Amino acid sequence: MKTARDWVGEMLGTWGRDAYVAKVVVSELVTNVVRHTDSETATVRLLLADRGIVVEVIDGCDAMPEARDVGVLSEDGRGLAMLGALVKDWGAQPVAGGGKVVWALLPEEDG
């Protein structure tokens, strides 16, 4: 996860963009691959799209992520809710040949 966070920070730095939210987002998405799939690898991509910067994490698991309602005392299950609060939009879709891509559209920077 550190490798992915560092790479995102470096890339966004070269684009002159703040990387704080992107690092949190990529950390959560890669953590989900490690904890909730049997995928041995994850691919992280950054896209500069018309709507803004998109973070994508691609893995080999077909199961789609689902945000859960969790109780106040729950020790896990808050990641996707947190993701939803940090970004403009997020989603997941199947990848041809198996697996999925989970994406997040980062908020616009103030300034």
Side-chain angles (χ1 to χ4, degrees):
M1 283 169 273
K2 181 180 181 329
T3 301
R5 282 192 307 267
D6 290 348
W7 179 79
V8 165
E10 289 173 20
M11 290 302 299
L12 290 180
T14 64
W15 294 353
R17 305 293 178 103
D18 181 65
Y20 180 77
V21 171
K23 286 180 173 185
V24 173
V25 167
V26 79
S27 184
E28 177 58 33
L29 295 180
V30 172
T31 296
N32 283 351
V33 172
V34 171
R35 292 188 70 197
H36 302 292
T37 77
D38 57 0
S39 290
E40 294 185 16
T41 62
T43 300
V44 177
R45 297 193 317 179
L46 287 174
L47 306 168
L48 188 53
D50 291 343
R51 295 177 53 201
I53 296 173
V54 178
V55 174
E56 293 184 339
V57 175
I58 305 160
D59 67 67
C61 178
D62 293 331
M64 293 293 155
E66 292 182 33
R68 301 183 277 163
D69 288 329
V70 294
V72 174
L73 300 176
S74 296
E75 295 184 11
D76 62 3
R78 291 185 173 81
L80 293 176
M82 178 189 68
L83 179 75
L86 288 175
V87 301
K88 290 178 10 182
D89 198 9
W90 75 275
Q93 56 196 78
V95 173
K100 67 178 167 302
V101 58
V102 182
W103 58 268
L105 177 61
L106 300 179
E108 296 174 17
E109 293 182 8
D110 294 333

